[in-house]
Amino acid sequence: MSIVKKIVIGLIAVSVTTYGCSAFFIFVLKDVLAPGMPAGLYIACILLLGVLWTAILGWLGALWLTKPLLRLTTVTQEAAKGNLQIEVPVHPANDEIRGLGSSFQQMIDKLRQMVLDLSDSASYTRHHAAVLNENIAGAAEQIERIAHAADWIAQGAAEQAASSQGSLSAALQMYDMVRDISKQADQSQTIAEEMTGTIEQGEPS
């Protein structure tokens, strides 16, 4: 039964109870309870009591109607604080309040699943980030080794270039020496030829 029907039935029941009791007190019990009281005053008192009785019954009905809503409000506040392990109490009556509680429970279940999925994704990301950091560290170590090897090769090339420069200088010096010796040999040969010519000219014919 829907809440609207329950409210209508409750109002009818309160009205029947209030007006029925008021009529009973006015038309049946007036002579028994207050035979000497003026009728107008007596009726006014009975009607005031009827209003009071209606207010009491309405208050009790409101408590009965709002109690499951207050429980649902408490659950909502706990969920707002981050407590997604809370369970929504099931309303015994099959009405809108029960549907509201069921929908709210489904929402909490989906939120809980979303949090679990996010937690799993965060764990997966952390794991792969750690693996990536390890790979980066390994790559950095390899790059450092390559840099050291490149420095060693560059140093060896510099030494080789220096050695080649020294060999070239030595070869040039040897070439200069050979050229000087060749010049001296040519000069010696020229001197020898001149001496030979002089000797030949000095001999008697």
Side-chain angles (χ1 to χ4, degrees), residues 11-183:
L11 291 175
I12 292 173
V14 170
S15 298
V16 170
T17 302
T18 302
Y19 291 123
C21 290
S22 298
F24 181 75
F25 275 87
I26 291 173
F27 297 109
V28 176
L29 298 180
K30 197 276 180 186
D31 294 334
V32 176
L33 297 177
M37 182 181 292
L41 180 60
Y42 179 77
I43 291 172
C45 292
I46 295 300
L47 292 178
L48 288 175
L49 290 174
V51 171
L52 179 61
W53 178 247
T54 302
I56 293 173
L57 291 178
W59 180 68
L60 293 175
L63 287 179
W64 173 80
L65 182 63
T66 57
K67 186 176 181 180
L69 294 176
L70 292 175
R71 288 200 300 266
L72 188 58
T73 301
T74 302
V75 173
T76 305
Q77 291 174 349
E78 287 294 323
K81 294 177 182 178
N83 182 14
L84 298 180
Q85 302 299 325
I86 192 170
E87 297 293 334
V88 179
V90 180
H91 187 58
N94 189 15
D95 53 14
E96 290 85 353
I97 296 178
R98 184 171 186 176
L100 180 62
S102 177
S103 299
F104 192 76
Q105 182 64 56
Q106 291 177 4
M107 183 185 70
I108 290 179
D109 293 339
K110 289 182 179 180
L111 287 175
R112 187 185 301 134
Q113 186 61 41
M114 288 175 61
V115 170
L116 291 176
D117 293 340
L118 288 174
S119 178
D120 293 339
S121 298
S123 299
Y124 179 82
T125 303
R126 283 195 298 269
H127 172 70
H128 283 272
V131 174
L132 181 61
N133 288 332
E134 292 178 359
N135 292 334
I136 291 174
E141 185 177 356
Q142 292 294 330
I143 291 173
E144 187 176 358
R145 291 179 180 176
I146 293 173
H148 285 309
D151 290 339
W152 181 78
I153 292 173
Q155 183 178 359
E159 293 176 355
Q160 184 68 29
S163 176
S164 298
Q165 185 66 32
S167 298
L168 178 60
S169 298
L172 291 175
Q173 291 177 359
M174 289 181 65
Y175 173 76
D176 292 338
M177 291 175 61
V178 170
R179 187 177 61 182
D180 292 340
I181 293 172
S182 177
K183 286 181 180 180

Side-chain angles (χ1 to χ4, degrees), residues 182-196:
S182 177
K183 286 181 180 180
Q184 292 177 2
D186 290 339
Q187 292 177 356
S188 298
Q189 184 178 0
T190 301
I191 294 172
E193 290 178 353
E194 291 178 352
M195 290 178 63
T196 301

